Amino acid sequence: MKVKQMKGSYALFESLLAEKVDTIFGYPGGSIIPVYDALYDYTDRINHILVRHEQAAAHAAEGYARVSGKVGVALVTSGPGATNTITGIADAMMDNTPIVVIAGQVATTALGSDAFQETDLVGVTQPVTKWSYQIRRPEDIPWAVSRAFYIAQSGRPGPVVLDLTKNAQTGICDFSYQKTEFIRSYIPDPEIDKEVIEQAAHIINAAKKPFALIGQGVILANAEKEVKQMLEKANIPAATTLMGLSAISSKHPLNKGMLGMHGNLGPNMKTNECDVLIAIGMRFSDRVTGKLATYAKQAKVIHFDIDQSEIGKNVKVTLGVLGNIKESVPMVTDLLTEQRHDDWIKSFEPLERKEHDKVLLKEVEEAKGPIHMGEVIAKISEATGHKAVLVTDVGQNQIIAARYFKYTKTRSLVTSGGLGTMGFCLPAAMGAKLGAPSRTIFAVCGDGGFQMTVEELGTILQSQIGIKIILLNNNKLGMVRQWQKLFWQRRYSFTDMINPNFNTIADAYGIRNRMVNKREEIDDAIADMMKDDKAFLLVVNTEPDVMVYPMTPAGDDVTNVLLEESSK
């Protein structure tokens, strides 16, 4: 093994190169200057994107990871630089996104002295990471980086934090790198029980009304093909969670839509009618299940997951299939008999027609009056033949975008699911573009979330990141307002917004832009946006009091789906 001496700061970059890192999102500061000084000599091999806020570095790393399937990397300084990333770290933890955040720290001699910009980053981040570790010696850097990348991307993925003291950065070490392939007591891929596989196949083969729920775990495991083969062999209708969207093509005949609070009517109703519920790589969050006491009580529940703690955590299961679903699902498929469930599948159709007539006709197909968000999303999806990546913020824009966008390729939705982080969209879209430069990236924002990270227009300007920003502007904090309207007696407490001229702001950053006020302007504006690969801001002034339907009230029975305001 070749060994040579170098500073810890250089050992860091040699380690990152060994992990095939090509992009870093970061912001320099006092405690990380030695690393940035070393980076000066690596700019031909590592692309550093200078963000305007450290939270954006973490979200950009998330966006990069979600579309590329690789580990995203953020680099920040100590104290406020590090604490600014915590929202992104927590977001990555909730959504199982593999990122490594490397933060500077004061020298070991100053630890515990309340030195300038000292924060106990390990203590702060341990609850929201898979692993958080402080590096105090330069010779420990290669070991820690190798371990960090292994932990972040193996098993159930998630964020890792490395707290890098200043003396570790400046000290000299003998550098050698060895990739981590095993950690004692950490079992990322549990052994699959063949007897359980046989039991799962037996239950599915005997089902008359099977229904599959597809989560993001399918995408994380790169198991889209394997799940599709299972569904097709046994003729099982399926629906996805919000995070699982794009795991199966929107056009696939067995894909019945999205589950959950704002999911499609058919999947929610059929959840409480099926006789076998097959959950694959999803965690039965409250936004999917609604009232647990009445959720799928008639069904045998089979749960495929890589994390033992998720099986039976929220929903009692008949059978838990523990293991990597890329391996466990085809093992079950091999034992399945070819089935026809035509009558069961056709039973979704009346519900689809009902939702179409109550919601889609009004919102998109026969839209009248002010512009509806849904018709804008449908048109941008069509503009790329449904092959683009959709990145959303959080709120009404998120749910409407997820519902009306169509997916033909996997890893085509990047959104904040578990934490629900406003401000996520713009930086995550930047990261997505760096992670998938050949794909069109649509960043769909609301006016509230956009203003939380609007400073990243500076990053887009400096790094020439060609994302297409669609700002759905209704001068409201729309989702909170919807809840106030439906459940809080229309007491609209601080959800109206007086917004700036967003186009003038885009002009200041040298970003081409258009504003749309009328329906007949939409097509031309989208064509203008799509005529080159440069950044563009499309501001669409939409219906001010838009409501997102369908909707299942929080904590209510999953079948109590509202299709319009007057529904009971």
Side-chain angles (χ1 to χ4, degrees):
M1 185 180 297
K2 189 175 181 181
V3 176
K4 60 180 180 178
Q5 284 196 329
M6 61 182 67
K7 287 183 178 179
S9 55
Y10 283 78
L12 175 64
F13 288 109
E14 292 295 330
S15 300
L16 293 176
L17 287 172
E19 293 291 343
K20 296 183 169 48
V21 171
D22 55 24
T23 304
I24 294 175
F25 306 92
Y27 201 97
S31 290
I32 200 69
I33 284 179
V35 167
Y36 271 87
D37 181 69
L39 178 59
Y40 192 86
D41 295 325
Y42 287 88
T43 53
D44 60 332
R45 287 170 284 174
I46 294 178
N47 183 23
H48 179 276
I49 304 298
L50 178 64
V51 297
R52 297 305 187 263
H53 190 281
E54 293 89 352
Q55 179 182 348
H59 290 325
E62 288 186 272
Y64 176 93
R66 294 269 286 276
V67 299
S68 70
K70 300 192 290 187
V71 177
V73 180
L75 180 64
V76 298
T77 195
S78 63
T83 58
N84 281 346
T85 68
I86 291 174
T87 296
I89 294 168
D91 192 276
M93 189 69 177
M94 290 286 282
D95 287 345
N96 309 127
T97 305
I99 65 171
V100 172
V101 175
I102 302 165
Q105 182 57 279
V106 301
T108 54
T109 53
L111 289 172
S113 69
D114 290 331
F116 179 66
Q117 292 190 333
E118 180 194 1
T119 300
D120 179 9
L121 186 61
V122 171
V124 170
T125 59
Q126 275 183 335
V128 290
T129 55
K130 284 188 73 177
W131 186 50
S132 187
Y133 182 76
Q134 186 175 82
I135 306 172
R136 299 188 176 191
R137 305 185 306 166
E139 56 265 34
D140 293 336
I141 290 174
W143 172 87
V145 170
S146 175
R147 191 179 178 97
F149 275 75
Y150 178 70
I151 291 172
Q153 63 192 321
S154 61
R156 183 178 182 176
V160 171
V161 166
L162 295 178
D163 192 36
L164 185 57
T165 61
K166 203 163 187 177
N167 53 287
Q169 301 171 47
T170 58
I172 303 296
C173 66
D174 291 332
F175 177 80
S176 65
Y177 196 81
Q178 184 173 351
K179 286 183 71 70
T180 300
E181 297 179 352
F182 170 79
I183 297 175
R184 185 185 301 173
S185 78
Y186 173 57
I187 306 173
D189 289 322
E191 185 176 352
I192 299 170
D193 187 332
K194 292 183 179 179
E195 185 176 334
V196 170
I197 295 294
E198 292 173 357
Q199 292 172 9
H202 176 74
I203 293 171
I204 296 171
N205 282 334
K208 301 299 182 185
K209 298 179 179 180
F211 188 32
L213 315 183
I214 298 173
Q216 189 195 199
V218 173
I219 298 171
L220 295 173
N222 299 310
E224 297 92 339
K225 178 181 176 181
E226 289 79 5
V227 169
K228 181 169 169 279
Q229 288 173 340
M230 172 191 271
L231 299 179
E232 290 177 345
K233 184 174 182 180
N235 200 29
I236 302 171
T240 71
T241 64
L242 172 66
M243 298 296 291
L245 286 169
S246 83
I248 181 172
S249 170
S250 301
K251 298 178 181 179
H252 197 288
L254 291 173
N255 185 355
K256 298 304 175 183
M258 187 173 76
L259 300 156
M261 178 177 283
H262 291 287
N264 295 102
L265 178 62
N268 282 341
M269 298 298 289
K270 294 301 178 181
T271 294
N272 276 15
E273 291 182 30
C274 65
D275 60 357
V276 175
L277 193 66
I278 308 161
I280 311 173
M282 52 88 74
R283 59 187 180 87
F284 287 113
S285 79
D286 61 303
R287 289 299 172 101
V288 165
T289 65
K291 187 177 181 181
L292 284 170
T294 57
Y295 182 80
K297 291 302 179 183
Q298 79 294 337
K300 293 180 179 178
V301 179
I302 302 173
H303 191 175
F304 291 79
D305 209 285
I306 199 168
D307 187 350
Q308 178 67 65
S309 69
E310 287 297 340
I311 297 175
K313 183 177 77 174
N314 294 329
V315 172
K316 184 178 179 180
V317 302
T318 307
L319 189 68
V321 184
L322 180 65
N324 189 323
I325 58 178
K326 192 171 181 66
E327 299 173 8
S328 62
V329 167
M331 290 171 69
V332 171
T333 302
D334 287 343
L335 300 178
L336 295 181
T337 56
E338 293 190 7
Q339 302 274 353
R340 300 305 305 170
H341 298 292
D342 295 342
D343 290 343
W344 166 237
I345 292 171
K346 286 180 181 178
S347 72
F348 283 79
E349 293 177 3
L351 296 169
E352 291 166 353
R353 286 195 297 270
K354 183 177 181 180
E355 181 177 343
H356 176 270
D357 295 345
K358 290 279 190 179
V359 180
L360 298 182
L361 279 175
K362 181 176 68 175
E363 294 183 349
V364 175
E365 296 181 13
E366 296 180 359
K368 299 175 183 177
I371 298 170
H372 190 277
M373 294 180 183
E375 58 184 308
V376 180
I377 300 303
K379 286 180 179 292
I380 65 168
S381 184
E382 290 168 4
T384 64
H386 311 299
K387 295 178 181 178
V389 175
L390 168 66
V391 185
T392 82
D393 215 277
V394 168
Q396 289 180 319
N397 68 87
Q398 173 189 36
I399 302 303
I400 289 176
R403 281 178 48 79
Y404 290 104
F405 204 79
K406 303 301 179 186
Y407 311 91
T408 58
K409 300 177 68 174
T410 190
R411 295 186 180 274
S412 291
L413 174 68
V414 180
T415 193
S416 175
L419 198 63
T421 305
M422 290 181 68
F424 173 86
C425 180
L426 200 57
M430 298 187 314
K433 187 62 178 177
L434 273 296
S438 65
R439 298 188 69 181
T440 298
I441 308 295
F442 289 123
V444 175
C445 308
D447 44 307
F450 181 74
Q451 292 181 84
M452 287 193 173
T453 49
V454 66
E455 78 285 341
E456 296 311 312
L457 294 177
T459 306
I460 293 167
L461 166 66
Q462 180 165 345
S463 295
Q464 292 297 295
I465 304 173
I467 62 174
K468 309 300 183 182
I469 307 164
I470 297 89
L471 176 53
L472 302 173
N473 179 30
N474 64 351
N475 294 284
K476 302 282 189 296
L477 295 176
M479 189 60 86
V480 180
R481 183 182 177 85
Q482 176 162 332
W483 282 51
Q484 289 173 336
K485 184 174 186 177
L486 290 175
F487 312 120
W488 293 90
Q489 296 78 49
R490 300 177 185 243
R491 292 163 60 88
Y492 299 126
S493 180
F494 296 97
T495 46
D496 289 319
M497 300 190 78
I498 297 176
N499 289 327
N501 186 317
F502 294 114
N503 297 87
T504 300
I505 294 173
D507 285 337
Y509 283 102
I511 296 172
R512 283 205 316 122
N513 59 87
R514 288 274 294 267
M515 179 185 289
V516 169
N517 291 299
K518 298 178 181 179
R519 181 168 287 106
E520 52 267 29
E521 300 170 343
I522 297 174
D523 289 341
D524 184 66
I526 291 174
D528 187 19
M529 176 174 68
M530 300 303 296
K531 73 181 182 181
D532 61 36
D533 60 359
K534 295 180 180 179
F536 193 100
L537 173 65
L538 177 60
V539 180
V540 184
N541 293 321
T542 63
E543 181 182 348
D545 198 22
V546 66
M547 299 289 282
V548 183
Y549 294 111
M551 181 182 185
T552 301
D556 211 335
D557 190 298
V558 71
T559 60
N560 183 24
V561 182
L562 306 179
L563 295 178
E564 54 191 356
E565 191 175 343
S566 60
S567 295
K568 298 297 181 181

